[in-house]
Amino acid sequence: MLRYVLKRLLTAIPTLFLIVTISFFLIRVAPGGPFDLERPLEAKVMENLNKIYQLDKSIWEQYLIYMGNVLRGDLGPSFFFRDFTVGDLFRQGLPISIEIGGFALLLALLVGGSLGILAALKQNKGPDYAVMTMATMGITIPNFVVAPVLTLIFGVMLGWLPVGGWNNGAWENKLLPILTLGLPQVAIVARLTRGSMIEALRSHHIRTARANGLPQWMVVVVHALRGALLPVVSYAGPAAAALLTGSVVIETIYGIPGVGRYFVQAALNRDYTLVMGTVIVIAVFIMIFNLIVDLLYAWLDPRVRYD
């Protein structure tokens, strides 16, 4: 297993290199530049800015300089947030996005998984219909609609929670963002768990377990749940990478100082280094969680071996 992990980590290096290289040239091919404004800057000012940010060099020289800086752990200065480097922005915002996304993912796995199991055990009965109706609503209603509704109910009408702001990470300020971010994931996990649990409950080894007189909870939790979790684990890997790297909608609506808001701002403002920084962070997260998913597969399914 250790050999497999080391092999995956080594193969991630050329993959990350290709992602960074392709992204670097794609963002430079896009029309416009970081200092293109509605009212153009004076030629001398533009010349000085290009010289300061080394944009006056050829694109290959810029690429080699950028890759050298990345290898030293320097993601460069932000072109839009002039007083900050990309590393500073991520150091400030990424822990906040990870905290919000982590709790949303935990909410999805616990609540969604429990609802999916309940729906599978009560297939084609009232609880099943209720769970699937809520899951369908959770998937189809976008979070930019859910967020204002929750804010109106819990923040304005009931006055239980603040309508926005971070307040140094106070718990009451985190609840609505976590709930809004987690609800669609709860719906998806519930549907996945229900489908895979129904299939697992009809398998031969479950019928054998029941024929041997095992209690229902042992049949479900010990024997059926393990196999039913495989589709959920497959989904949770990429979902975790997406949740932990921030949501531009949630962070904008609730005024959360995470990194999700940087994704759109960086692209719109041609902030080359910030775009590249977000690409690298997301790519690293996806690789790490895909590796975790593969390891969990081997743990959940004895037929999967990487030795």
Side-chain angles (χ1 to χ4, degrees):
M1 183 65 77
L2 180 61
R3 185 178 177 183
Y4 173 76
V5 174
L6 291 175
K7 185 179 178 182
R8 283 288 300 270
L9 292 176
L10 288 176
T11 56
I13 295 174
T15 304
L16 187 61
F17 171 77
L18 285 175
I19 292 172
V20 173
T21 300
I22 293 172
S23 301
F24 181 89
F25 287 104
L26 281 179
I27 189 65
R28 300 305 171 110
V29 169
F35 307 118
D36 290 344
L37 304 174
E38 291 183 6
R39 185 176 180 182
L41 297 173
E42 294 181 8
K44 188 63 179 177
V45 175
M46 182 68 82
E47 181 183 344
N48 289 334
L49 285 172
N50 287 333
K51 188 174 182 180
I52 291 171
Y53 291 99
Q54 299 181 326
L55 296 176
D56 57 338
K57 301 181 184 301
S58 69
I59 190 168
W60 285 105
E61 287 179 297
Q62 293 179 44
Y63 170 71
L64 293 176
I65 292 171
Y66 182 76
M67 292 301 287
N69 292 335
V70 169
L71 290 176
R72 291 192 295 272
D74 180 10
L75 296 176
S78 170
F79 292 177
F80 183 70
F81 302 96
R82 304 288 170 78
D83 296 331
F84 298 93
T85 65
V86 175
D88 292 335
L89 295 174
F90 283 131
R91 273 190 291 274
Q92 294 173 9
L94 192 57
I96 297 172
S97 294
I98 289 176
E99 185 178 1
I100 297 294
F103 280 113
L105 182 64
L106 187 64
L107 176 73
L109 294 177
L110 292 178
V111 178
S114 301
L115 292 175
I117 294 172
L118 175 66
L121 294 175
K122 303 292 183 183
Q123 186 185 7
N124 298 329
K125 296 180 181 177
D128 184 20
Y129 295 136
V131 171
M132 286 303 96
T133 301
M134 288 188 291
T136 303
M137 291 174 62
I139 293 172
T140 54
I141 301 177
N143 51 18
F144 59 80
V145 174
V146 175
V149 172
L150 293 179
T151 302
L152 180 65
I153 295 172
F154 295 103
V156 178
M157 297 173 64
L158 299 176
W160 291 350
L161 297 170
V163 296
W166 184 238
N167 192 21
N168 293 321
W171 267 106
E172 56 268 24
N173 290 72
K174 298 176 187 174
L175 290 178
L176 284 181
I178 291 171
L179 192 61
T180 308
L181 190 60
L183 282 178
Q185 305 303 321
V186 169
I188 295 171
V189 171
R191 288 186 66 87
L192 287 174
T193 306
R194 175 188 179 273
S196 56
M197 179 61 81
I198 289 173
E199 185 178 351
L201 290 172
R202 292 175 178 170
S203 59
H204 296 304
H205 73 282
I206 296 299
R207 281 199 289 269
T208 303
R210 283 176 171 158
N212 288 330
L214 292 180
Q216 175 71 356
W217 69 268
M218 186 176 289
V219 171
V220 173
V221 176
V222 178
H223 297 282
L225 183 60
R226 192 164 182 169
L229 284 177
L230 291 176
V232 179
V233 169
S234 297
Y235 172 76
L243 290 172
L244 299 182
T245 50
S247 165
V248 60
V249 175
I250 302 301
E251 293 179 3
T252 302
I253 290 176
Y254 291 109
I256 304 296
V259 296
R261 59 204 166 109
Y262 295 147
F263 299 164
V264 175
Q265 290 177 352
L268 292 177
N269 295 293
R270 300 291 187 272
D271 193 339
Y272 296 148
T273 50
L274 189 53
V275 169
M276 292 303 302
T278 57
V279 169
I280 292 173
V281 169
I282 292 174
V284 169
F285 270 68
I286 289 176
M287 289 176 184
I288 291 173
F289 282 102
N290 279 340
L291 175 59
I292 294 173
V293 165
D294 288 344
L295 297 179
L296 285 175
Y297 249 83
W299 178 66
L300 290 170
D301 191 345
R303 295 170 297 180
V304 178
R305 285 290 177 268
Y306 298 118
D307 296 331

